[in-house]
Amino acid sequence: MEPVFADFSTRPARLSNTLVAHHRCGIASSHLALGGGGYIKLDFAVGEREEIAEAVITVTTLGGDVPMDVSLNGKALGEGQAVPADGGHGAPHQGAFQAAFQTVFAAPGDLLASGDNILEIRSPEGADTLLRLRTVTVDPAHDRGRAERALVARVADIRSVVTFDTERRAPGTTVWQPAPQLLFHLDAGDRAVPAHLAWRGADGSEAAIGLRADLSGFQGHSRGADGAPAEYRGTLTDRSAYPEGTADTPLYLFSTDEAQGESWSPSGELKLLLDAGGTPVERVSWTDRLGNTASIELSPAAAAPAAEAATTGELHDVTRTVTGIRASEEFGAAGEVAENLLRGSHNKWLAHGNTADIEFVLDPPAAVSTYRLTSANDAPGRDPRDWVLAGSYDGRTWSDLDSRSGERFRGRFETNEYEFTNTTPYPHYRLSITDNAGSSEIQLSRIELFAGEIITGPTPDSADFTGYRTPAGGEPAGYRGTTVPGPWSDTEPRSGRGEELLAGELGETARTLDEAARLIDKLAAYLKHAG
């Protein structure tokens, strides 16, 4: 019996030798939601000469205390079966934002037919709660878990670019706070699924996580750039194929060598993508489910310019590289908007209130170390007096770079210049004005940003790493890599389909020509019937 599974934690659904029809269902990013009377039907095949004494059906759902009906080839296996909220006979997978439960059904082998079989999972009519399905697997009892192992292998082989929504919780508190998305792809040539992952960011932040076998979530801990510790957890929101899923992301492709005594020998390629909120990483360690471990330290050019990197004395104006500007408040009716701050005219930006934020996006990123503010045409009481300038890799987590209090402008359209030390090229900058000179409004005529040339040695395209790697059951050996110049992907991610037939993608679903032919025949029959 070939592995039978349907995984609704990604869109399109990931299926084995299975077609899935659905009715009265909503397709979410991490599950399939069945309303009252909604159902799915899994159409799967069993070999003609296979003798199976008993089949094991495992249904993984999100949340508990939700009823469902399960039948195989028209024979009921469970009616009004309540998914346990407290563990019960199911196995809760804790650590995701909403707990996932496994409910197991046993089916006598004589319920399985040679050839096509139909497994139906239904939310009872009148149910006032949603039945959220994540995965369904069918196995012979003597090899229970085969389908889940095949699913994990399929993830590693095909959709190995994974995205998690994450949360953090400070010690001693009960409330989880949203954190930046985590996106990663790791392939050292063996296509093994990561089990543990740890990294350090260029800003000093750190994290370590343990991943579920099916990559549906993780649990871990983290430490912010400010040194504050926190619990850290995530739930899967997307899986993408390589290389499509790595478009427009900070992906590294390394050509690697491994130490053999006193010499080095080529050891293939390492593909690495780890984006935890835009902060470049400088150290990554991992263990995969085959038992291999590795740890690498990226060169400053690969991670981010080091804090002690030198800059030239010559400044250049990077205001012209601003690709986006946003103000927390602006007087749009009078045309006194944030865009005016980038122009060399006597137009102005005005905000109601005595506090306001202005954010800039630079492309390419620049290490701003000087900025100029120009007062506007009237009302000196509207001049900013206190403010903080901050930089960010992702526009969400900010590092304070310069703060001023009690500043004054001597006249109208007066330009004041402010210098500070910064050698990190941030793509995002934010000026947070915390007080003005006494008015109920704030205004400026112009803001200019200046940066020095950073001297860091090699460019990112020539970045290296050094570290070690230990094969399962073996001894540690030196491990080093040299970046292969990119980019390596110029294709757009594939989009999912929300059709009534969830057939996944034929290239993933069918592993053999026979399977492909069978699925094409079944798909044609379905379309003919549907038409």
Side-chain angles (χ1 to χ4, degrees):
M1 179 178 175
E2 292 295 322
V4 175
F5 60 76
D7 178 8
F8 305 115
S9 67
T10 185
R11 187 175 179 186
R14 182 171 25 259
L15 311 173
S16 59
N17 63 341
T18 310
L19 295 182
V20 178
H22 68 92
H23 171 69
R24 205 176 291 178
C25 296
I27 303 174
S29 61
S30 62
H31 61 275
L32 196 65
L34 284 64
Y39 62 80
I40 64 166
K41 293 182 178 181
L42 279 73
D43 184 340
F44 64 94
V46 174
E48 293 184 1
R49 291 182 294 275
E50 286 191 80
E51 293 185 4
I52 300 174
E54 186 179 54
V56 177
I57 299 164
T58 304
V59 181
T60 303
T61 59
L62 295 178
D65 283 339
V66 180
M68 64 177 166
D69 300 334
V70 179
S71 63
L72 178 61
N73 293 326
K75 302 293 184 179
L77 300 179
E79 293 184 348
Q81 176 76 44
V83 177
D86 59 353
H89 299 293
H93 291 281
Q94 303 296 341
F97 300 168
Q98 186 175 23
F101 293 86
Q102 286 186 344
T103 305
V104 179
F105 300 87
D110 56 14
L111 288 186
L112 290 170
S114 296
D116 293 338
N117 292 263
I118 300 293
L119 173 68
E120 181 177 330
I121 300 173
R122 179 183 292 270
S123 177
E125 289 286 352
D128 57 1
T129 54
L130 291 177
L131 175 61
R132 295 179 171 87
L133 294 180
R134 181 181 283 275
T135 60
V136 180
T137 62
V138 183
D139 293 299
H142 68 271
D143 194 12
R144 181 180 173 183
R146 181 180 182 188
E148 183 173 356
R149 294 194 300 272
L151 175 58
V152 171
R154 181 77 61 85
V155 172
D157 187 44
I158 294 179
R159 293 193 175 273
S160 54
V161 184
V162 292
T163 304
F164 297 93
D165 277 347
T166 72
E167 291 181 316
R168 291 191 176 96
R169 182 169 67 180
T173 64
T174 59
V175 179
W176 290 90
Q177 299 293 339
Q181 274 193 334
L182 171 63
L183 172 69
F184 80 82
H185 168 73
L186 181 64
D187 181 10
D190 47 20
R191 296 189 178 275
V193 178
H196 303 279
L197 189 66
W199 65 90
R200 175 182 171 86
D203 61 356
S205 60
E206 295 182 285
I209 62 176
L211 294 141
R212 291 182 182 169
D214 61 358
L215 299 183
S216 61
F218 71 79
Q219 187 74 37
H221 56 85
S222 68
R223 185 176 295 275
D226 59 357
E231 293 180 70
Y232 187 38
R233 69 182 186 182
T235 188
L236 180 73
T237 57
D238 190 32
R239 286 179 175 135
S240 303
Y242 175 87
E244 291 90 338
T246 62
D248 301 321
T249 58
L251 172 73
Y252 288 105
L253 175 59
F254 295 100
S255 175
T256 71
D257 297 288
E258 188 171 303
Q260 302 290 339
E262 297 299 320
S263 62
W264 292 84
S265 299
S267 56
E269 292 182 339
L270 170 66
K271 302 179 184 73
L272 173 64
L273 162 62
L274 202 162
D275 185 356
T279 303
V281 295
E282 60 182 22
R283 182 184 307 138
V284 184
S285 302
W286 67 91
T287 301
D288 63 39
R289 295 200 173 272
L290 297 178
N292 305 306
T293 64
S295 182
I296 64 174
E297 183 85 19
L298 280 71
S299 72
E308 65 273 11
T311 60
T312 65
E314 182 179 354
L315 293 173
H316 59 284
D317 188 351
V318 296
T319 312
R320 59 182 176 80
T321 68
V322 173
T323 59
I325 182 171
R326 184 190 69 83
S328 59
E329 163 65 22
E330 58 186 12
F331 192 14
E336 296 172 345
V337 295
E339 285 82 356
N340 292 337
L341 294 169
L342 303 177
R343 301 167 183 162
S345 65
H346 283 181
N347 293 324
K348 70 180 181 183
W349 158 77
L350 184 141
H352 298 94
N354 63 346
T355 64
D357 289 346
I358 307 166
E359 295 182 18
F360 304 86
V361 179
L362 274 60
D363 187 13
V368 172
S369 58
T370 299
Y371 60 102
R372 295 173 184 167
L373 305 182
T374 300
S375 62
N377 61 322
D378 59 5
R382 298 174 180 174
D383 292 343
R385 176 168 292 181
D386 303 340
W387 62 80
V388 176
L389 182 70
S392 172
Y393 290 112
D394 60 357
R396 296 185 294 270
T397 303
W398 297 88
S399 298
D400 291 347
L401 304 174
D402 184 53
S403 62
R404 305 283 169 163
S405 61
E407 294 295 322
R408 296 184 181 276
F409 293 83
R410 293 176 297 178
R412 302 304 84 207
F413 299 114
E414 181 75 22
T415 299
N416 290 351
E417 183 173 290
Y418 305 95
E419 297 181 0
F420 61 98
T421 301
N422 174 44
T423 58
T424 301
Y426 292 105
H428 300 269
Y429 288 88
R430 181 180 68 192
L431 182 70
S432 297
I433 301 171
T434 56
D435 201 4
N436 64 2
S439 174
S440 59
E441 297 169 322
I442 296 175
Q443 66 181 21
L444 280 171
S445 176
R446 193 176 186 193
I447 296 179
E448 300 167 89
L449 305 174
F450 298 85
E453 296 287 351
I454 297 179
I455 305 172
T456 57
T459 65
D461 280 344
S462 62
D464 298 333
F465 74 77
T466 185
Y468 70 89
R469 184 168 64 174
T470 305
E475 298 295 331
Y479 190 40
R480 69 185 186 186
T482 302
T483 298
V484 177
W488 311 278
S489 171
D490 56 3
T491 58
E492 293 296 324
R494 290 174 287 185
S495 59
R497 298 181 297 276
E499 303 168 355
E500 286 296 303
L501 184 69
L502 291 174
E505 296 187 32
L506 188 61
E508 297 184 18
T509 303
R511 289 306 209 186
T512 69
L513 291 177
D514 288 340
E515 284 185 19
R518 185 186 69 83
L519 288 171
I520 289 173
D521 288 343
K522 294 176 73 64
L523 179 59
Y526 173 86
L527 294 175
K528 181 178 179 180
H529 176 75

